[in-house]
Amino acid sequence: MTGTSSPLLRLALASLATAVPFAAIAQTVITVNVTGNRKAINPNIYGTAYATAAQLPDLNCPVNRYGGNNSSRYNWNLNADNRGSDWFFQSIADTSAVAGERGDTFFSTAKTAGAQALITIPMVPYIANLASGRNKLWSFSKAKYGNQTAYDSFNPDSGNGISTASGNPYITGNNPLDANVANSVATQTAWVNHLIATWGSSSAGGVKYYIMDNEPALWNSTHRDVHPAGETYDEILNLYKTYALAIRNADANAQIVGPEEWGWTGYFYSGSDAAWANTHGWGGPFPDKSAHGNMDHIPWLLQQLKAYQTSSGKQLLNVFSLHYYPQQGEFSNDDSAAMRTIRNRSTRSLWDPSYVDTSWINSNVQLIPRMKSWVSTYYPGLQTAITEYNWGDEAQLNGATAQADIFGIFGREGLDMATRWTTPATNCPTYLAMKIYRNYDGSKSTFGETSVSCTVPNPDNLSAFASQRTSDGATTVMVVNKLGSSAPIRIDLSNFTPSGTATVWQISSATQTSINHLANATLSGNSLSATVPAQSVTLYVIAKSTASGPQYDFESNTQGWTSSGVPVASVSWSTTQHFAGTHSLAVNINGAAGTGNAFVGGPTVAAGSTVTFHVWIPATSSITSIQPYVQQGASGGWTWSGTWKDISTLTKGGWNTITVAVPANAVNPMYQLGCQFTTNATSTTTCYIDAVSW
């Protein structure tokens, strides 16, 4: 997409539902369980498109997309593109005449800011040409093709390709070479090779992500001057395989992104079937789909690309990408109460299987779960991406709450990548809603890397998202009040011991051009109560208690512990037994008689201290002894210090407390800290370690 063109303008909108007036609500309880529903947040979900050299570091943005309609028609040799239906099908030169300058500058800007560039590779059959002197060319000349319904105000011969004849039909039979030259695999391979020669391969710091064109099911509209017929199943597969194979052969480790389909109908119908339906009705049967086992458009393409990889050994798709725009007017500057209500609820189309989209779609979109289901069924192992989306109203707080809601949804639902279309104006409310997740304090402090369970009673009114940070163990809670009135809230934390205070950062009517650092909030036990302003985004950063406690409590994960040696098969995070808290480290014994270890490598343990282990032993097992230990590294002469315990001296079916003395002259970091298990027969059982402290 470029300019103001959007899928919203290409399909009729359903009538707006009657708006529900904003109203004050009772206290909203936000329930956060730090050990529940934990999943990694891929930072690539916080991406954008066409961010500037100043915006990229300010947003701490990980990925920046070069794409949209004009990228389909970019001629790297001429450093020019054709704008298609976005601007009178004109081929327009960039300022620089240097071949490939656009891509080089885009990549360099991203790399300087520490971001990855996503570069779109054209597959449309024709790309831009220029007149002498790098002057414009256009596809629908009035002199050549007759009167049209609109012209470039600066060029009265450059029309929009829509005839003034009865019914205003599209002009057909035009010569694509009027403003274009033929595209080819050789042309695009040469561009990829230029990028590699200039910046290195993907594994050497060069372009990592290549996108396979843009919105093919709309080529017969957006690029109808060179592709008047709707794209078909076979056409897109053949084009995709041909161009993606060229990229794969040029850079074996590049990540290939596609198919970049535009929206709801494009997921299920080819451009050819959509064109057929526009004249025959949407009841089917659809000719192209029927000829391909009646499979939906995108699932069929995934199935075929997986089959190609199986037969050839070549993976031509790494990141499964779609575009999505809400279809009830959200992608606009409409800030009316009615539209705010629609915008507040329609983000549920990204995730909620129970939500029926109230636009003309009138179905359960559940986009992210749907994409993950398609990957699981047709091409397991792919990442998922939404590489164009926009909920509009960027200059107002409703746009900010929508964007903050979307970022939270992406992290909670496990999306792998997203790039917003495009980057909002610096320091407008929606821009700040992006920044509060990645650089809220100006020092690149972030929301966090691990999503945790966070529930609210009604996300249409107030949504919330929580994460735990690796760097400091803090729990962060993003509260998005969508309502036109302030909202009292209470955050209830479980399986987390807070320090007692939280730092608070906020976007609201009082701070529409900056993120405001408020006074610290005080917790009462494990709860935090506050009132958040109308249409606001508030980030609470709740520090973990620094009070003395076990260095290894296993409450969040296995904390880096692992296993070695028969019979210890593995370690895992468990709630089956726990000495303190709710979790422990499960030591899974499954093998022949022998001696094996559960341990953590490279810990720093105070010299002269006493390390206390709590070990649960099953009632019956083939275990003959256990030995908690600490072992120094090479600088400490590999010295082993342990406390050996015969099984007869231990409590079976219960917890045992065993201590190990660390030598006063011990040299840190240690090589290992762990517990050794010895068995005298093949067996399958589980022991547990918890609350290791000193």
Side-chain angles (χ1 to χ4, degrees):
M1 177 178 301
T2 55
T4 58
S5 176
S6 76
L8 176 66
L9 303 178
R10 300 170 185 145
L11 293 171
L13 297 176
S15 298
L16 292 179
T18 301
V20 178
F22 294 119
I25 57 173
Q27 185 182 62
T28 297
V29 177
I30 301 167
T31 305
V32 178
N33 178 358
V34 177
T35 61
N37 198 29
R38 294 176 66 90
K39 63 180 69 172
I41 298 174
N42 192 324
N44 288 342
I45 63 172
Y46 303 116
T48 189
Y50 294 99
T52 67
Q55 289 172 328
L56 283 170
D58 188 45
L59 290 173
N60 192 18
C61 183
V63 288
N64 193 28
R65 174 175 174 258
Y66 162 72
N69 292 338
N70 65 324
S71 69
S72 293
R73 306 279 289 278
Y74 176 64
N75 184 333
W76 82 277
N77 286 305
L78 297 179
N79 202 37
D81 64 47
N82 188 287
R83 304 299 165 87
S85 63
D86 288 340
W87 193 255
F88 299 99
F89 302 92
Q90 290 182 6
S91 290
I92 302 174
D94 286 13
T95 301
S96 172
V98 175
E101 180 274 334
R102 180 190 296 184
D104 291 340
T105 298
F106 192 92
F107 177 84
S108 176
T109 299
K111 187 177 180 68
T112 299
Q116 293 284 350
L118 285 71
I119 301 294
T120 297
I121 302 298
M123 300 191 298
V124 169
Y126 293 89
I127 54 179
N129 197 10
L130 295 174
S132 61
R134 294 183 63 76
N135 287 308
K136 298 177 183 179
L137 291 172
W138 49 95
S139 290
F140 293 110
S141 164
K142 177 180 179 180
K144 188 171 184 178
Y145 298 111
N147 291 328
Q148 298 163 56
T149 60
Y151 299 94
D152 180 356
S153 59
F154 297 99
N155 184 351
D157 187 58
S158 177
N160 64 356
I162 302 174
S163 173
T164 57
S166 177
N168 299 128
Y170 286 163
I171 292 171
T172 58
N174 64 293
N175 184 356
L177 297 177
D178 287 345
N180 303 276
V181 295
N183 190 17
S184 69
V185 174
T187 297
Q188 301 308 326
T189 301
W191 187 25
V192 173
N193 285 333
H194 163 83
L195 290 167
I196 294 171
T198 306
W199 304 104
S201 67
S202 59
S203 58
V207 176
K208 181 176 181 179
Y209 296 100
Y210 291 95
I211 299 176
M212 304 312 298
D213 213 289
N214 185 69
E215 302 180 343
L218 295 177
W219 286 352
N220 60 320
S221 172
T222 309
H223 305 295
R224 64 179 187 272
D225 58 327
V226 298
H227 198 285
E231 151 269 351
T232 68
Y233 281 55
D234 291 336
E235 178 191 17
I236 192 60
L237 175 63
N238 291 332
L239 283 172
Y240 189 101
K241 288 195 299 186
T242 302
Y243 282 86
L245 181 60
I247 294 171
R248 178 61 69 229
N249 288 339
D251 191 335
N253 297 310
Q255 299 291 292
I256 302 177
V257 183
E260 295 286 289
E261 199 47 86
W262 80 267
W264 187 248
T265 59
Y267 307 160
F268 305 100
Y269 306 101
S270 65
S272 176
D273 274 343
W276 180 91
N278 285 335
T279 56
H280 295 82
W282 286 86
F286 301 92
D288 202 14
K289 179 179 284 192
S290 297
H292 294 85
N294 210 38
M295 283 191 68
D296 291 330
H297 186 214
I298 296 305
W300 180 85
L301 182 61
L302 292 175
Q303 181 193 65
Q304 296 302 306
L305 291 173
K306 173 59 176 174
Y308 179 83
Q309 179 181 349
T310 300
S311 63
S312 70
K314 295 278 189 177
Q315 183 172 0
L316 303 184
L317 179 62
N318 302 98
V319 182
F320 167 41
S321 65
L322 295 175
H323 298 175
Y324 186 77
Y325 289 84
Q327 293 291 299
Q328 211 165 338
E330 297 95 324
F331 181 32
S332 69
N333 294 325
D334 186 350
D335 192 53
S336 65
M339 184 52 66
R340 291 199 300 268
T341 299
I342 293 169
R343 202 175 272 119
N344 290 348
R345 70 171 181 249
S346 64
T347 55
R348 286 168 60 190
S349 63
L350 294 168
W351 65 274
D352 189 351
S354 70
Y355 177 68
V356 177
D357 190 271
T358 56
S359 74
W360 59 266
I361 291 176
N362 192 33
S363 186
N364 305 92
V365 177
Q366 53 177 328
L367 183 59
I368 298 171
R370 184 183 297 274
M371 293 178 71
K372 288 182 172 292
S373 175
W374 281 347
V375 166
S376 176
T377 302
Y378 300 108
Y379 204 151
L382 298 182
Q383 289 195 328
T384 52
I386 300 173
T387 44
E388 274 195 27
Y389 69 93
N390 190 309
W391 255 254
D393 210 19
E394 292 179 356
Q396 305 299 327
L397 287 168
N398 189 235
T401 58
Q403 184 62 51
D405 197 34
I406 290 165
F407 269 178
I409 290 166
F410 287 167
R412 184 192 65 202
E413 298 299 311
L415 191 70
D416 296 299
M417 179 185 289
T419 50
R420 187 186 190 276
W421 183 267
T422 54
T423 309
T426 300
N427 289 336
C428 76
T430 302
Y431 180 95
L432 297 176
M434 300 171 72
K435 183 175 178 178
I436 201 169
Y437 275 88
R438 295 287 296 167
N439 187 20
Y440 61 81
D441 60 356
S443 297
K444 293 185 169 52
S445 296
T446 69
F447 176 63
E449 307 85 11
T450 303
S451 175
V452 302
S453 176
C454 182
T455 59
V456 296
N458 184 355
D460 294 355
N461 292 339
L462 185 146
S463 63
F465 308 90
S467 174
Q468 187 169 35
R469 289 201 302 224
T470 302
S471 60
D472 57 3
T475 292
T476 60
V477 183
M478 194 74 72
V479 179
V480 183
N481 182 17
K482 304 176 183 182
L483 294 178
S485 58
S486 60
I489 64 166
R490 189 181 79 235
I491 301 172
D492 288 345
L493 296 161
S494 62
N495 294 311
F496 179 78
T497 304
S499 65
T501 61
T503 58
V504 187
W505 307 79
Q506 191 173 81
I507 305 163
S508 70
S509 60
T511 58
Q512 294 196 53
T513 58
S514 63
I515 299 170
N516 193 20
H517 186 188
L518 304 181
N520 287 355
T522 301
L523 282 79
S524 175
N526 272 36
S527 293
L528 185 156
S529 295
T531 298
V532 292
Q535 295 192 97
S536 63
V537 181
T538 307
L539 173 63
Y540 294 95
V541 181
I542 306 169
K544 187 176 182 179
S545 173
T546 57
S548 178
Q551 280 79 358
Y552 295 98
D553 59 12
F554 307 110
E555 288 302 297
S556 300
N557 49 50
T558 61
Q559 294 186 251
W561 284 59
T562 187
S563 63
S564 68
V566 175
V568 179
S570 64
V571 298
S572 58
W573 190 42
S574 176
T575 58
T576 303
Q577 300 290 343
H578 43 85
F579 181 83
T582 60
H583 291 74
S584 67
L585 182 78
V587 181
N588 303 305
I589 295 174
N590 185 7
T595 298
N597 301 329
F599 66 93
V600 63
T604 297
V605 183
S609 64
T610 298
V611 182
T612 300
F613 291 76
H614 297 92
V615 184
W616 189 91
I617 305 295
T620 59
S621 71
S622 63
I623 297 171
T624 59
S625 67
I626 66 171
Q627 183 175 197
Y629 69 90
V630 59
Q631 184 179 12
Q632 299 178 56
S635 57
W638 303 104
T639 302
W640 172 287
S641 302
T643 302
W644 182 86
K645 291 288 185 179
D646 187 271
I647 193 67
S648 63
T649 66
L650 298 173
T651 300
K652 292 176 279 295
W655 286 97
N656 297 266
T657 300
I658 309 170
T659 61
V660 175
V662 181
N665 61 350
V667 180
N668 277 296
M670 300 295 168
Y671 176 61
Q672 287 182 1
L673 172 71
C675 189
Q676 189 174 86
F677 297 83
T678 301
T679 62
N680 62 5
T682 299
S683 63
T684 300
T685 192
T686 304
C687 297
Y688 299 90
I689 299 173
D690 198 7
V692 179
S693 62
W694 56 88

